[in-house]
Amino acid sequence: MSQSVQETTSAVPRRRFLKWSAAAGGTTALVGAGAYFGMLPGIGAANAATATSGLDVDKTVWSSCNVNCGSRCPLRMQVKDGQIVRVLPDNTGDDEIGTQQIRACVRGRSVRHRIYNPDRLKTPMRRKPGTKRGDGEWEEISWEEAFDTVSGELKRILDEYGNEAVYINYGTGTLGGTIACSWPPNQSPVARLMNCLGGYLNHYNTYSSAQITSATPYTYGTNASTNSNDDWANARLVVMFGYNPLEVRMSGGGETFVAQKVKKDSNVRMIVIDPRYTDTALDLADEWIPIRPGTDAALVAGIAHVMIREGLQDQAFLDAYCVGFDDEHLPEGIPAGSSYKSYIMGAGPDGVEKTPEWAATITGIPAQTIVRLAREIGAGPVAINQGLGPQRHASGENTVRAAHVLACMTGSVGISGGGTGGHSGSYSLPMANPWIMQNPVETAISVFMWTDAIDHGPDMTATKDGIRGKDKLDVPLKFMWNYGGNALINQHSDHNRTAALLQDESKCELIVVIDNVMTSSARFADILLPDVTSAEQLDIIKQGQSGTLGYTIVADQVIDPLYDTKTTFEMMSEIAERLGVLDAFTEGRTQEGWVRHVVDESRKEIPELPSFDELRDAGIWKTTGTTKIALKDFREDPETNPLETPSGKIEIFSEQLWDLANEWELTDGDKITAVPEYVPTWEGAEEAKTNRKYPLQMIGHHYKQRTHSSYGNVDWMLEAHPQVVWINPIDAGDRGIGNDDVVEVFNDRGRVRIPARVTPRIAPGVISIPQGAWYTPDKDGVDTGGSVNTLTTWRPSALAKGNPQHTNLVQVEKA
Ligand SMILES: Nc1nc2c(c(=O)[nH]1)N[C@H]1C(S)=C(S)[C@@H](COP(=O)(O)OP(=O)(O)OC[C@H]3O[C@@H](n4cnc5c(=O)[nH]c(N)nc54)[C@H](O)[C@@H]3O)O[C@H]1N2
Ligand SMILES: Nc1nc2c(c(=O)[nH]1)N[C@H]1C(S)=C(S)[C@@H](COP(=O)(O)OP(=O)(O)OC[C@H]3O[C@@H](n4cnc5c(=O)[nH]c(N)nc54)[C@H](O)[C@@H]3O)O[C@H]1N2
Ligand code: SF4
Ligand SMILES: [Mo]
């Protein structure tokens, strides 16, 4: 593959920036290295060179960090004698929202340690005959043999069971790329190959957002996210339900910069509601309200009670724009007492008034705090944002819709300074993607239920298991592709159960893993295909969530592929050739040809986007988009711009959910409700109070050390952010646990050995094991790697059939 690389910083002419910013009318800029320093008085190109690079290097190449953290950062890689010797961040842009410099976080800055990691997969391998999946015993094989085996087995399984027996497992390891792209799965090279062969079993949902994605359309008709965070500047008050941009969107190409900048400039009041005192709470919030996990809908109910009692709700908005806030606005034929107001005031079937005192016993938040909160929130429109943590629960769907109701009761929807109560939205450059092919198969499972589909696929139905596109599955999963993902075990729930399932070769017959490193999932492969990293190939990068900033990066090939690795494009081309679909797969293009094609097509959508060669020369291209005000059109003119709900209005009461609650076969303890009631769940806050064996609620927050499991084997990151379980001093004291003591966290599903971080930064009764650590069972099956999924369950949430990975009960003892 040809390499066109950026010269070292000092050699880049300043006029290139000036030329392009002028051509683009001032809002867009093709910004070459050195441009930023060129803009600052007194810091010229020569200074730029010394400021960014003390090393004598051969070249500096624009690359990127493509992991799934919601941000997406350019990385300028400096090469000496064919090796990456240093990684530098973006050096373009400034400190304003919309034109910001995209400063990579410490993970991206440590990427050399991931590229040159001793865990790198170096050659194709086959599981040693006679050993079990997961044993970790391998035989090296040639690429020829690997391609022949995979294509032969794939053909056999397609012939024997059909296309719905082949599955592409969830994997977000390299989702920043366009060609080397592992997610969404329909955009990956693996999906393109399968689509040339008649398709594969689809999935819907993600591990990130199953409950919010499923629940939101019942309220708003579509998957509406809320206003972009830059609009907080226009808000009176920002309320964050488990929203933690400072740890989960950690860069200038994410929301950390936007959140900090808005707070600094406008000093808008911010309240964080979270079981943990997060970095967002620490740095930005005026108030932290610790809450028991899974109880946000009860908190909203308590707030609603006060608002109704004191007449604080925006009744005009509710009457004009919403269905089912009160009994006067229920759909025809629905019995009185079914509205949200009836539920709150005790006029519904349960007859219980949802007073602040009622909410206090459930949430752990004092009643007087709830009253104060209700008066403050009820004073007018408010920006309510929810993170994805609150919805990753057994009844997360109701938490999601409860936050929507609060946005409606305050009349906040569709206006600046307000919002829908959803997850943050942002501007995104509308890049074209001609690489995607349609999957001819329409049958889909919820992404979380692939283990069930291996175990008992043909027993799974639409009304019991959420199968879509068909009434039931006809065949179990027999062939698993696992590309750029660690959810074959590490990121999926209940490791012991998953390992046992995967070890039964009569069930899933072939597992192919494509990864860079020997992860816990890779250990369960039959065939291991070693991929190049993003530094070893060319791609065009889709941007992260970053307020109003739009950008794209040409991530060039920095170094030659290490060891005997290949690009996934090449791997899939070889298999396509063996199965007679090479021309359909490549359409005659190389990977570079496809990247060029993507840029050419995108220029039809974005006329000011430079050509591929210009982009490649500059590395990054930025533009300033607009502030997103969600559902603005609907707010301004609901008659002309109705929502896509059955009523065209915001459905606080959903008749569709009312029907589903009667039609679906739900497991005991699961509940679907037409208004967002607080539903006490299995392994929830209520059960914790009476469960003497497992009295602690356990969550697993997303952690700065890693992006999920990616970067989890980087020495620098392990040193900066060790894997520890957060436990409150009260719970630690009860158990004689001191800070740094090694403890065991356990339930009936498994056991984890891990050091304790005794800290008041987590609510009493709750512990958190940061998710994504590498599952490392010892000979007794105790996980010494600290993976929270040793303790989580396969049981899905009721409506979304999503992963409730923050709903768990456990016990902790000193090891
Ligand atoms: N308990 C619990 N579990 C969770 C969560 C939780 O909150 N709690 N969160 C869930 C969420 S939101 C998500 S998104 C999932 C994430 O789960 P995954 O999508 O599995 O994410 P990672 O663990 O980062 O795994 C990415 C894999 O891609 C590999 N990879 C990286 N770059 C490349 C590349 O260039 N090529 C190839 N071939 N491979 C590459 C990495 O080595 C790694 O094995 O986890 C879910 N699991
Ligand atoms: N550093 C880093 N950044 C990441 C990732 C990563 O692994 N590492 N993963 C990325 C991905 S794919 C995703 S999907 C996002 C995930 O982003 P989120 O899902 O938002 O992250 P979480 O840490 O699971 O949850 C956010 C917060 O919710 C809190 N929380 C948990 N349960 C509840 C609850 O019931 N109520 C309330 N109010 N709060 C609760 C947690 O304590 C946490 O502080 O992050 C992305 N960014
Ligand atoms: S991990 Fe996320 S924030 Fe950090 S460098 Fe990579 S893309 Fe940027
Ligand atoms: Mo995610």
Side-chain angles (χ1 to χ4, degrees):
M1 195 175 293
S2 76
Q3 287 191 37
S4 160
V5 293
Q6 192 70 57
E7 300 296 311
T8 47
T9 48
S10 57
V12 173
R14 213 182 130 193
R15 72 187 124 76
R16 185 185 297 133
F17 170 75
L18 299 173
K19 185 175 94 194
W20 278 98
S21 59
T27 55
T28 56
L30 184 74
V31 272
Y36 176 56
F37 291 97
M39 283 157 59
L40 287 179
I43 304 181
N47 284 347
T50 43
T52 57
S53 149
L55 290 175
D56 164 32
V57 296
D58 300 330
K59 60 185 182 184
T60 302
V61 188
W62 285 82
S63 182
S64 61
C65 178
N66 297 345
V67 295
N68 180 14
C69 74
S71 310
R72 202 117 314 130
C73 300
L75 300 172
R76 291 180 307 124
M77 300 200 178
Q78 298 197 303
V79 180
K80 176 82 184 159
D81 300 330
Q83 289 214 15
I84 303 164
V85 290
R86 190 172 220 198
V87 176
L88 301 170
D90 185 19
N91 61 350
T92 73
D94 54 26
D95 262 338
E96 298 301 323
I97 294 171
T99 48
Q100 70 257 34
Q101 187 183 16
I102 305 173
R103 294 182 193 117
C105 82
V106 282
R107 294 187 297 277
R109 296 291 297 272
S110 74
V111 75
R112 277 193 311 133
H113 295 232
R114 202 151 74 84
I115 297 167
Y116 297 111
N117 199 283
D119 294 334
R120 270 298 288 267
L121 299 173
K122 300 179 179 67
T123 61
M125 293 198 285
R126 168 177 55 209
R127 176 165 56 90
K128 203 168 171 182
T131 64
K132 287 203 310 265
R133 287 183 184 142
D135 283 355
E137 292 190 50
W138 304 96
E139 283 178 357
E140 285 184 16
I141 53 175
S142 68
W143 277 108
E144 285 300 304
E145 191 180 348
F147 294 141
D148 289 345
T149 307
V150 174
S151 48
E153 282 296 284
L154 182 56
K155 183 162 183 342
R156 177 183 69 77
I157 287 171
L158 286 172
D159 290 346
E160 204 169 318
Y161 300 99
N163 290 66
E164 292 182 13
V166 179
Y167 188 63
I168 303 174
N169 204 25
Y170 183 86
T172 63
T174 172
L175 84 174
T178 307
I179 309 305
C181 167
S182 64
W183 195 90
N186 67 325
Q187 304 189 8
S188 73
V190 180
R192 196 174 161 86
L193 168 73
M194 287 311 306
N195 290 336
C196 295
L197 296 167
Y200 56 97
L201 181 70
N202 270 310
H203 69 233
Y204 64 91
N205 283 343
T206 65
Y207 279 78
S208 310
S209 59
Q211 288 85 337
I212 197 170
T213 311
S214 292
T216 303
Y218 291 103
T219 314
Y220 290 121
T222 52
N223 224 316
S225 48
T226 190
N227 300 0
S228 49
N229 290 353
D230 52 292
D231 184 56
W232 285 344
N234 305 310
R236 168 183 68 90
L237 172 68
V238 178
V239 178
M240 309 187 202
F241 285 93
Y243 181 53
N244 185 19
L246 267 64
E247 286 171 273
V248 304
R249 301 280 187 250
M250 290 178 63
S251 81
E255 289 159 347
T256 290
F257 167 75
V258 179
Q260 287 180 316
K261 176 74 176 160
V262 171
K263 180 65 182 177
K264 190 172 168 218
D265 289 354
S266 73
N267 199 26
V268 58
R269 185 169 153 79
M270 294 181 171
I271 298 174
V272 167
I273 300 162
D274 197 302
R276 298 187 312 120
Y277 187 59
T278 59
D279 284 10
T280 304
L282 188 151
D283 189 36
L284 301 182
D286 298 278
E287 186 170 359
W288 170 48
I289 298 180
I291 186 169
R292 290 199 184 111
T295 67
D296 302 69
L299 171 62
V300 172
I303 291 172
H305 190 276
V306 179
M307 285 179 65
I308 294 168
R309 207 165 62 186
E310 302 187 2
L312 297 176
Q313 77 273 25
D314 186 339
Q315 194 64 46
F317 179 82
L318 293 164
D319 290 347
Y321 292 90
C322 305
V323 168
F325 173 71
D326 47 35
D327 281 5
E328 290 72 49
H329 296 86
L330 281 171
E332 217 169 296
I334 299 298
S338 305
S339 67
Y340 190 70
K341 188 174 170 188
S342 291
Y343 164 71
I344 298 298
M345 303 315 283
D350 70 1
V352 177
E353 258 192 89
K354 310 304 178 309
T355 61
E357 291 72 25
W358 170 88
T361 60
I362 295 169
T363 59
I365 301 167
Q368 63 270 33
T369 305
I370 298 175
V371 173
R372 181 171 52 75
L373 209 53
R375 291 182 181 145
E376 189 174 357
I377 290 173
V382 51
I384 297 167
N385 290 62
Q386 49 180 311
L388 301 176
Q391 56 95 54
R392 208 171 292 113
H393 276 281
S395 183
E397 297 88 341
N398 279 26
T399 296
V400 167
R401 297 187 71 240
H404 295 161
V405 174
L406 206 51
C408 293
M409 289 182 71
T410 48
S412 307
V413 180
I415 57 171
S416 176
T420 63
H423 194 52
S424 294
S426 73
Y427 174 77
S428 185
L429 200 61
M431 296 290 284
N433 197 338
W435 167 248
I436 307 175
M437 271 172 81
Q438 206 53 40
N439 184 354
V441 172
E442 281 179 9
T443 316
I445 59 172
S446 161
V447 71
F448 183 56
M449 295 191 74
W450 62 272
T451 35
D452 292 78
I454 290 179
D455 190 57
H456 54 269
D459 295 338
M460 292 171 73
T461 69
T463 53
K464 184 165 60 65
D465 308 286
I467 300 300
R468 292 189 186 166
K470 252 189 187 174
D471 292 339
K472 64 179 283 292
L473 282 192
D474 295 325
V475 285
L477 296 185
K478 289 290 178 187
F479 187 112
M480 293 273 288
W481 287 106
N482 193 87
Y483 165 48
N486 204 352
L488 196 57
I489 189 135
N490 213 78
Q491 298 307 110
H492 188 64
S493 294
D494 200 344
H495 294 331
N496 288 314
R497 196 171 171 197
T498 307
L501 175 84
L502 294 178
Q503 283 174 345
D504 184 346
E505 290 170 51
S506 73
K507 289 194 162 140
C508 186
E509 295 179 12
L510 197 79
I511 300 175
V512 180
V513 170
I514 306 170
D515 208 298
N516 303 131
V517 284
M518 184 60 86
T519 63
S520 34
S521 289
R523 291 172 69 88
F524 283 82
D526 297 310
I527 301 286
L528 259 176
L529 304 179
D531 197 5
V532 299
T533 65
S534 47
E536 294 150 69
Q537 65 189 321
L538 165 79
D539 210 337
I540 176 111
I541 306 305
K542 298 169 291 196
Q543 71 168 97
Q545 280 194 293
S546 30
T548 58
L549 173 66
Y551 63 95
T552 185
I553 305 160
V554 168
D556 219 324
Q557 186 179 352
V558 185
I559 51 171
D560 291 334
L562 292 176
Y563 319 110
D564 193 10
T565 57
K566 286 191 190 300
T567 62
T568 305
F569 180 87
E570 191 180 343
M571 293 179 213
M572 295 303 113
S573 302
E574 291 276 357
I575 295 169
E577 185 167 24
R578 281 164 176 76
L579 296 171
V581 292
L582 181 62
D583 291 346
F585 178 78
T586 64
E587 290 178 28
R589 294 187 183 91
T590 59
Q591 182 155 337
E592 180 175 331
W594 274 103
V595 171
R596 286 178 177 275
H597 187 45
V598 168
V599 175
D600 290 345
E601 291 298 304
S602 299
R603 275 157 62 96
K604 295 178 186 163
E605 312 257 337
I606 315 159
E608 64 275 28
L609 186 72
S611 71
F612 170 76
D613 290 316
E614 290 160 339
L615 280 174
R616 183 181 232 181
D617 195 30
I620 192 166
W621 183 77
K622 295 177 177 173
T623 184
T624 306
T626 46
T627 298
K628 179 183 173 190
I629 308 295
L631 306 184
K632 184 166 179 280
D633 292 353
F634 167 71
R635 180 71 186 253
E636 283 169 0
D637 188 350
E639 302 295 322
T640 314
N641 309 306
L643 299 181
E644 290 174 35
T645 53
S647 63
K649 295 188 174 188
I650 300 171
E651 301 201 346
I652 293 173
F653 177 99
S654 165
E655 201 170 0
Q656 288 177 307
L657 289 176
W658 174 271
D659 291 342
L660 280 188
N662 297 316
E663 287 161 12
W664 277 16
E665 297 167 63
L666 296 174
T667 312
D668 274 354
D670 283 353
K671 203 171 169 191
I672 294 175
T673 64
V675 295
E677 299 176 16
Y678 165 67
V679 176
T681 67
W682 40 274
E683 299 196 39
E686 258 37 36
E687 204 179 302
K689 291 180 198 159
T690 54
N691 189 327
R692 301 190 69 82
K693 212 169 152 200
Y694 303 124
L696 296 172
Q697 288 188 272
M698 182 192 71
I699 58 173
H701 64 277
H702 290 224
Y703 192 31
K704 291 181 288 188
Q705 194 237 310
R706 307 172 290 270
T707 300
H708 308 293
S709 70
S710 298
Y711 288 98
N713 57 344
V714 166
D715 48 354
W716 284 0
M717 296 309 306
L718 286 161
E719 198 182 324
H721 304 291
Q723 180 70 357
V724 288
V725 51
W726 289 33
I727 184 166
N728 185 276
I730 297 170
D731 299 315
D734 288 349
R735 291 163 177 79
I737 294 166
N739 198 38
D740 288 338
D741 282 353
V742 175
V743 299
E744 287 195 359
V745 185
F746 59 98
N747 59 18
D748 289 342
R749 293 180 287 266
R751 196 171 267 270
V752 172
R753 195 174 299 135
I754 186 173
R757 172 63 38 83
V758 178
T759 171
R761 287 183 65 174
I762 189 151
V766 186
I767 67 162
S768 186
I769 298 182
Q771 67 94 22
W774 290 33
Y775 171 52
T776 317
D778 68 9
K779 63 178 186 350
D780 303 316
V782 177
D783 175 20
T784 57
S787 174
V788 69
N789 283 321
T790 303
L791 304 163
T792 55
T793 175
W794 277 13
R795 182 170 177 172
S797 67
L799 174 67
K801 307 299 176 197
N803 45 323
Q805 284 170 310
H806 290 329
T807 300
N808 312 279
L809 292 184
V810 296
Q811 181 56 292
V812 180
E813 64 187 21
K814 208 163 158 169

